[in-house]
Amino acid sequence: MGSSTKYIFITGGVTSSLGKGIIAASLAKLLQARGFSVTIQKFDPYLNIDPGTLNPYEHGECYVTEDGAETDLDLGHYERFLDTPTSQANNVTTGRIYNNVITKERKGEFLGKTVQVIPHITDEIKRNFFKLGEDGQFDVVITEIGGCVGDIESLPFIEAVRQAKWDLGQNNFLVIHLTLIPFLAAAKELKTKPTQHSVKQLLEAGIQPDILVCRTEYHLPQEVKKKLALFCNVQLNCVIEAMDASTIYDVPLLMKKEKLDERVMSKLKLTSKTNTDLEQWKDFLGRLKNPTQEVNIGLVGKYVSLPDAYKSIIEAFIHAGAASECKVNLTLISSEELHADSIPKKLEGLDGVVVAPGFGERGLEGKIEAVRFVRENNIPFFGICLGMQVAVIEFARNVLGLEKANSTEMDPESPDPVIGLMEDQKNIELLGGTMRLGSFPCELKKGSKAYQAYGKAKINERHRHRYEFNNAYLNKFEESGMFASGINPDTELVEIMEIKNHPWFVGAQFHPEYKSTVLTPHPLFVRFIKATIENKKTK
């Protein structure tokens, strides 16, 4: 452990999905704005090694880091708020912990001892708690413990937090407990009992929370705060109100008003290096809340009943919209409901269309029809990952006349596999090992829409996909007006496809949304929004 590094643990009680990730990211932002270097990590109590194999309906989107880790979507919030990249070490699951311990046991590293939850599992958890603080590059490491206090799954994590307190010593350790204060409409009052029970469970596990952050729909009156402080052994000024906000990007300022950062600093004996610098953040919020124009964008995908499946894309539009002082009204459209005859009605009134990433053939034909409609009607189009592949298939079928063109993912027997597996992937059996994951370089062609967006020729973008554009067809495409504007210099793989005579038609094989943050919105999203604004004016 870096002796100077301070550790903050964030637990949750009463119910899940209270927004521990947003509170963690907001606190980190406030500390960062005071000149401290901060990182956040998420410990998830499920047994999957990573969320890469989880259905988006289960867990929302799978977020990919620069180093190719498939992680929880909360890491997206961390990066969007802090504007600094996370890595494999920032997301650890129970599955990974047990996997590490069992691997050591098989190698004989425990010298014949009986391997148990305490100390072996808890030691491995603590090793991962402290890993990011070891090289001294962070003043503060914030650890979010997923799930709810009292869940069977999170017991070993809670126990490891209890032990960490003694390992770290006074003033280096802090627990923030996030809880819910429900409002009972019939009784017209806020209820503290669930929080009391939740804190009691923490106390039974040997952990005294230092700060309570209370999610609530109504302001907490002073007497409610006093009651919470008394029953939960917490100082009155450490009972923090977290009201529902109109945008998650308000939360850092709300937490500042509640003095969350000051309470944390006094308990950890941190002295601030600078005054809080949140000017750029406030500037972003000002543009976000006072748009001068608006556009309607359709997001076509198959997981639309759970918007969290497209979390990063939705947030990237918020960042890009604010950059142009433009309100982006995003409509999620299920690709399974799109057919040639229903499309004009479903897509009418849209200023631009995005076709989202995804796997498998469900909803594919609907996506292809949607792309045809926007291509033929000069509506700005942005395809991401599978969205780019769909645009390629559509162009092959309807412009090049290759009626059975397809991706080998959907039709292994297609006579024209315009999208397929690279040779070196074909013999891999396990699903986990065949993906192109993480950051790869790409070179852009001058004069292309992509080059105009980035303003430079060399970029790096993050990937999460298995199938690639089939270069055997590239000449045919380019002769007919669809060209490769971005190519990986090392492998010659196509990264971006564009159509020349169109207001904005760009498909990217990578996931630009992963790199969009509040302070550096992603150039492709920014240009796409600008194109929709300009195109709307010419209608």
Side-chain angles (χ1 to χ4, degrees), residues 334-346 365-367 369-370:
S334 168
S335 50
E336 293 174 78
E337 292 171 10
L338 293 179
H339 315 285
D341 40 359
S342 72
I343 278 179
K345 184 135 190 54
K346 288 261 186 204
E365 295 301 320
K367 287 180 176 175
E369 287 299 330

Side-chain angles (χ1 to χ4, degrees), residues 21 47 147 157 166 207 213 226 233 271 279 300 326 387 400 433 457 474 481 488 495 498 501 519 524-525 536:
L47 283 168
F157 290 102
W166 301 105
I207 293 173
V213 175
K226 277 185 179 152
N233 298 336
T271 42
E279 290 319 303
V300 178
C326 176
L400 304 180
L474 189 56
N488 180 319
E495 300 278 11
E498 294 185 18
N501 302 319
L519 299 182
L524 287 178
F525 281 90
K536 191 177 170 183

Side-chain angles (χ1 to χ4, degrees), residues 126-186:
K126 286 194 298 183
R127 194 177 71 73
N128 284 277
F129 281 169
F130 301 142
K131 207 172 180 177
L132 285 167
E134 276 163 0
D135 56 8
Q137 71 180 90
F138 297 111
D139 302 314
V140 181
V141 174
I142 299 178
T143 302
E144 179 193 339
I145 305 288
C148 239
V149 169
D151 295 351
I152 287 180
E153 283 100 28
S154 36
L155 286 173
F157 290 102
I158 298 296
E159 168 59 20
V161 172
R162 183 194 71 77
Q163 293 178 21
K165 177 176 185 175
W166 301 105
D167 296 342
L168 291 163
Q170 208 59 39
N171 304 328
N172 295 321
F173 168 96
L174 181 81
V175 173
I176 296 174
H177 189 54
L178 179 65
T179 160
L180 177 71
I181 310 287
F183 179 77
L184 288 190

